Amino acid sequence: MDQIQHKYVTVQGLKLHVADIGTGHPNVVVFLHGFPEIWYSWRHQMIAVAKAGFRAIAPDYRGYGLSDPPPEPDKASFLDLDNDLLAILDALALPKVFLIGKDFGAFPAYIFAGLHPERTLGVVTMGVPYESRSSGPRSTELLPEGFYISRWQEPGRAEADFGRLDAKTVVRNVYILFSRSKIPIAAENQEIMDLVDSSTPLPPWFTEEDLEAYGKLYEKSGFQTALQIPYREFKLDLGIPDYTIKVPALFIMGEKDYVYEFPGMKDYINSGKLKEAVPDLEIVLLPEGTHFVQEQSPDQINELILTFLGKHI
């Protein structure tokens, strides 16, 4: 971890934090985190790809981690994240990169690959497949009112729920919830944070030291931007046409990931429908994988990533 350097890139007046390791120019890998994550969630992968001769970069999105918040967090969008990514690549003089996104980090990865294929060598995503709007309602739209995304989309509700706890406990609860294979759904008069008993231990692959790292940064950033992107942004029309992803891609899904239990998700991934939008796609299912496969099974994920990178340099 001490080998990872930290720098800031100024984009539209915001100082965005970028973790950086390795000297493998022009072979560069950009890691895009999900929620409740930050650059730190890629610690195992960054070190592995750097040792293999690549340069690894992991930004904190605007409003996350050590990056500045946007001036109007409730208007932040996925397009902002992609514009930030483009500006970071330009500032660091990186003409083409591999993109690796996990959870909602898959969205900016696919959007960037669709808008800027000339800057994209390949895309690896974990936990969340590419879903075009033309394929019908998103799987998340078919779940009941108590589904965590629906609850967090409601202005003020998550703020009140999270506000009863310190940031470290919120992150702890979400890590425990999202590590289960059961979809997080609350009863009518229950809040999402109440789905986790305070005596429940952390997943065995996530240490108190890890939790402390996340907790400190969410104490700094809060959850305002994180609730907007991704959860409240899901409801909006991104203004981006559906497109076919034309670059090589790898999709990794844990079979014990709660997202795999979303309505229609297994059929979408396994029937060939996903490959209609991402033709040059390899799909890997991990029987024991949860939503946090890159932290749960770093050696296995590192091997899959390095194999993919080696094929497409």
Side-chain angles (χ1 to χ4, degrees):
M1 290 287 289
D2 292 341
Q3 311 154 39
I4 297 176
Q5 300 178 345
H6 298 272
K7 59 188 64 174
Y8 289 86
V9 176
T10 300
V11 178
Q12 298 179 28
L14 302 179
K15 287 175 60 182
L16 302 182
H17 169 251
V18 179
D20 191 349
I21 183 174
T23 57
H25 189 78
N27 299 321
V28 180
V29 185
V30 178
F31 292 92
L32 303 170
H33 64 78
F35 176 83
E37 295 159 300
I38 46 177
W39 75 268
Y40 183 86
S41 69
W42 295 114
R43 58 199 179 280
H44 305 299
Q45 287 68 47
M46 292 183 73
I47 292 170
V49 301
K51 286 182 178 177
F54 293 84
R55 183 179 179 184
I57 293 169
D60 288 332
Y61 305 129
R62 54 173 60 200
Y64 279 81
L66 294 171
S67 291
D68 286 345
E72 297 180 280
D74 61 342
K75 294 182 180 179
S77 71
F78 283 113
L79 275 180
D80 288 333
L81 302 191
D82 266 71
N83 291 334
D84 291 346
L85 176 56
L86 184 62
I88 288 170
L89 299 188
D90 288 344
L92 300 179
L94 303 175
K96 297 187 77 169
V97 297
F98 288 99
L99 298 173
I100 300 183
K102 183 258 169 183
D103 185 60
F104 88 84
F107 286 85
Y110 280 131
I111 293 169
F112 191 91
L115 293 176
H116 307 286
E118 76 286 352
R119 305 290 297 268
T120 311
L121 290 166
V123 176
V124 179
T125 56
M126 302 173 203
V128 174
Y130 176 66
E131 289 186 89
S132 67
R133 295 302 297 183
S134 61
S135 63
R138 292 194 189 281
S139 53
T140 55
E141 296 168 3
L142 303 174
L143 288 159
E145 175 276 334
F147 177 48
Y148 78 97
I149 289 180
S150 301
R151 288 291 180 84
W152 292 351
Q153 286 175 339
E154 184 181 332
R157 186 155 190 173
E159 287 87 339
D161 187 16
F162 291 5
R164 299 175 295 153
L165 308 167
D166 59 65
K168 181 178 174 181
T169 302
V170 172
V171 174
R172 173 187 175 276
N173 287 355
V174 177
Y175 253 84
I176 290 170
L177 269 182
F178 286 9
S179 296
R180 298 170 178 170
S181 57
K182 184 179 178 181
I183 301 171
I185 298 175
E188 184 177 352
N189 296 315
Q190 184 183 37
E191 298 303 322
I192 299 301
M193 287 294 102
D194 296 329
L195 291 173
V196 179
D197 187 278
S198 60
S199 64
T200 305
L202 288 167
W205 39 263
F206 193 70
T207 68
E208 289 290 341
E209 183 182 6
D210 296 332
L211 178 60
E212 188 71 25
Y214 283 89
K216 284 181 179 177
L217 290 180
Y218 276 98
E219 287 284 357
K220 172 190 176 295
S221 68
F223 296 96
Q224 189 176 11
T225 306
L227 287 168
Q228 171 64 19
I229 313 174
Y231 302 105
R232 293 166 187 171
E233 176 73 351
F234 279 146
K235 283 190 168 184
L236 304 177
D237 179 0
L238 302 184
I240 303 168
D242 286 337
Y243 39 70
T244 300
I245 304 301
K246 298 178 180 178
V247 300
L250 167 66
F251 175 61
I252 302 168
M253 172 63 87
E255 293 189 46
K256 293 185 177 178
D257 187 331
Y258 70 91
V259 176
Y260 199 46
E261 300 301 323
F262 285 1
M265 183 62 73
K266 290 178 182 177
D267 178 67
Y268 178 68
I269 292 171
N270 298 318
S271 68
K273 294 176 185 175
L274 174 54
K275 289 192 176 184
E276 292 176 8
V278 192
D280 190 3
L281 177 67
E282 178 186 358
I283 298 173
V284 175
L285 299 178
L286 303 180
E288 298 302 315
T290 68
H291 193 59
F292 299 99
V293 287
Q294 86 283 15
E295 294 180 278
Q296 175 194 9
S297 304
D299 292 344
Q300 188 175 18
I301 296 301
N302 294 348
E303 183 178 352
L304 289 170
I305 288 173
L306 289 171
T307 299
F308 176 83
L309 297 178
K311 289 179 184 176
H312 301 291
I313 293 176

